[in-house]
Amino acid sequence: DRKNAAAQSYRVLNAIYSSNEALGVDHRGSIGFGLGRYLIEELGHELAVSVGIQGVQEKRVSCDEQERERADDSGTGNTGLSTCNDAELFVNLGWHLYHFSDRDMDISLVGNFYPSLTDTKRVRGDLNLLLNWELFDNFFWTLNARTEIDTAGDQNDRTLKKSDYTLSTGITWKY
């Protein structure tokens, strides 16, 4: 059914700003566009995928692939940062499971994959898990686990890593 298929598709506009000291990113801004589609869209359960292209500007040690490889071979770091402009694809997969009953539960898992078009050896990605569970009337426990990878994370600086993670938890009360 053509009308139903069009309703399950959507357009994506990405605008992201991030910074990560462990990965050596002082500033990263990206903007892009793409198309998405709900693979499952029913009450209590959603699964969606989107793909597109984006431009990225970030401050890192070097913008030149060959320069980074020479610096990696020498094992020396450089504290000066360059502003780099790149193009990359993005692939997003989002799964959302929720249940409204005596005790609400909300689970969300979102993964992003960013293969670079201009820096052929570079791949970035992140994965975020969010759990929100109602313990008793209007009192919620939240758990958020996130990991981030970047194959360029340790370029030119052996003190930097290729992955980073965060884990946070909290309690909220709604009235």
Side-chain angles (χ1 to χ4, degrees):
D1 171 278
R2 181 175 213 124
K3 185 177 178 184
N4 190 23
Q8 293 181 347
S9 298
Y10 57 93
R11 291 177 287 280
V12 176
L13 177 61
N14 264 0
I16 303 169
Y17 177 81
S18 63
S19 185
N20 188 317
E21 187 176 331
L23 297 177
V25 177
D26 185 40
H27 144 89
R28 179 185 296 133
S30 61
I31 190 161
F33 60 93
L35 296 173
R37 180 161 176 84
Y38 283 102
L39 304 175
I40 299 172
E41 187 180 22
E42 53 192 50
L43 185 62
H45 189 203
E46 293 176 347
L47 179 64
V49 64
S50 62
V51 295
I53 190 167
Q54 65 186 15
V56 179
Q57 183 180 72
E58 64 185 351
K59 291 188 184 220
R60 62 178 190 242
V61 175
S62 170
C63 298
D64 181 32
E65 243 180 46
Q66 294 171 348
E67 185 180 322
R68 280 197 311 269
E69 287 173 7
R70 282 193 302 271
D72 274 346
D73 292 340
S74 70
T76 59
N78 181 0
T79 59
L81 297 176
S82 301
T83 300
C84 310
N85 297 305
D86 293 305
E88 59 189 16
L89 297 174
F90 69 83
V91 178
N92 169 279
L93 182 66
W95 176 68
H96 188 198
L97 183 64
Y98 54 96
H99 180 64
F100 299 118
S101 63
D102 289 341
R103 301 288 170 244
D104 294 348
M105 177 166 280
D106 193 355
I107 301 171
S108 175
L109 182 66
V110 177
N112 294 294
F113 177 65
Y114 306 101
S116 180
L117 295 172
T118 53
D119 190 348
T120 56
K121 294 182 180 179
R122 185 173 187 196
V123 176
R124 301 186 307 110
D126 58 72
L127 185 64
N128 193 60
L129 172 67
L130 180 64
L131 170 70
N132 196 26
W133 183 32
E134 186 175 24
L135 300 174
F136 51 88
D137 207 23
N138 294 325
F139 191 81
F140 294 84
W141 173 64
T142 301
L143 175 69
N144 189 4
R146 179 177 173 81
T147 187
E148 198 172 337
I149 62 161
D150 188 345
T151 58
D154 66 353
Q155 296 176 93
N156 295 342
D157 189 343
R158 299 288 186 209
T159 64
L160 298 175
K161 300 178 181 178
K162 290 188 180 194
S163 65
D164 191 23
Y165 68 92
T166 58
L167 182 64
S168 61
T169 187
I171 295 174
T172 57
W173 175 53
K174 298 179 183 177
Y175 59 93

